[in-house]
Amino acid sequence: MSTPRDIDTRLAHPPQDRDPRTGASSCPIYQVSTYHQPDPEHLARYDYARSDNPTREALEEAVANLEGGARGLAFASGMAAVSTAFMIFGTGDHVVVGNDIYGGTFRVLTTIFRRWGLNATLVDTGDLEAVRAAITPQTKAIYVETPSNPTLRITDLAAVAALARERELLAITDNTFMSPLLQRPLELGFDIVVHSATKFIAGHSDLIAGLAVARDAETGRRLRQIQNSMGAILGPQDAWLTLRGLKTLGVRLRQEQRSAEILARWLAGQPEVVRVYYPGLEDHPGHDIHRRQASGGGAVVSFELATRELAVGLMKGVRLPLVAVSLGGVESILSYPATMSHAAMPAGERAARGITDGLLRLSVGLEDVADLQADLRQALDAAARPQ
Ligand SMILES: *Cc1c(COP(=O)(O)O)cnc(C)c1O
């Protein structure tokens, strides 16, 4: 594995930046299930593709290199990566989890893992004392998302990592919203980073993939044992597409972030907009912490309109953004957390987290920012007109 250099250089030159056999400029897609064994008494490096596939391995090495971890693993989805991290723990164990996490993570914790006997306490991880107070003798890990989804609340990663170390817990984070371009939690003391690579990392809204990176080899071995046993692996075609997406992560996300910041400031000045959530705004709660631990506000802006009718009207009126679940694509995506990403969360829980019926989440894509702004303006006008 190459030694860390500038992140842009690492994106353009992943550890396997040329094929050792042919010099080919990208890793071949090893579309295989099994490998001939010349010596059946001593199996070779590759024996079965659930365990090891060279294309998947190239992606796993690439993400480990970007996050600065000992071991990367690629999964069939972000949820497979998230679930694998929780499968480290067993019946009777306890985890402290952010209360503003991705809806699917909330669902898997409160259904499957509850049945499995893993207990979770949800707290505002932006409040370190609340995290500390939730730790019990059974606690094994702290799991956070920052910025969180969809209200982009900020958690101090270094402080959580220090608390976890002090209490001998694993510190785990979902870094999907930032990607390793903008935030590298392992460098701040975290033990495991997970990603929905479906979003910014692959970046083109054309596949589902998940990644996990462990800081040390032993944690990596535990994750790998689950990956190999459960079998929720990423296939070689999607591993290859994810590798391709990674190469342009820098130019895509920086451009999207520039536009997001412009749109966040513009939205804050529109009369129909009650509130804007964007970590790049100086008055966003936790802005200073975010600036210390990440190199930008990212490309996701959430904003609240006064009523459900206005929010629905805006979604029906926009022409450029897809109105859809997901984020991180080259096209802007406007999501409605109440019925999409957070539909699995009971209405009461949603309301307590600021996920009102007027809340919209905009993942800013690569369109011209003036075109996006004009489109949002005409859709706001249309939404406000009596039907
Ligand atoms: C989308 C998403 C996930 C789930 O990833 P999938 O690839 O859809 O399984 C997990 N966490 C966050 C923050 C996400 O945005």
Side-chain angles (χ1 to χ4, degrees), residues 76-82 101-105 143 145 147-149 174-177 194-199 207-210 325-327 341 361:
S77 69
M79 281 318 302
V82 167
I101 49 169
Y102 177 70
T105 303
Y143 181 98
E145 281 180 33
S148 70
N149 182 17
D174 180 336
N175 201 27
T176 299
F177 271 43
V194 294
H195 285 282
S196 171
T198 308
K199 316 294 169 53
L207 61 84
I208 300 284
V325 170
S326 201
L327 58 113
S341 57
R361 187 187 73 195

Side-chain angles (χ1 to χ4, degrees), residues 275-296:
R275 189 165 171 182
V276 175
Y277 301 89
Y278 182 65
L281 296 179
E282 293 72 16
D283 60 357
H284 185 80
H287 171 75
D288 289 342
I289 294 168
H290 182 74
R291 249 186 34 185
R292 209 165 52 230
Q293 65 193 16
S295 51

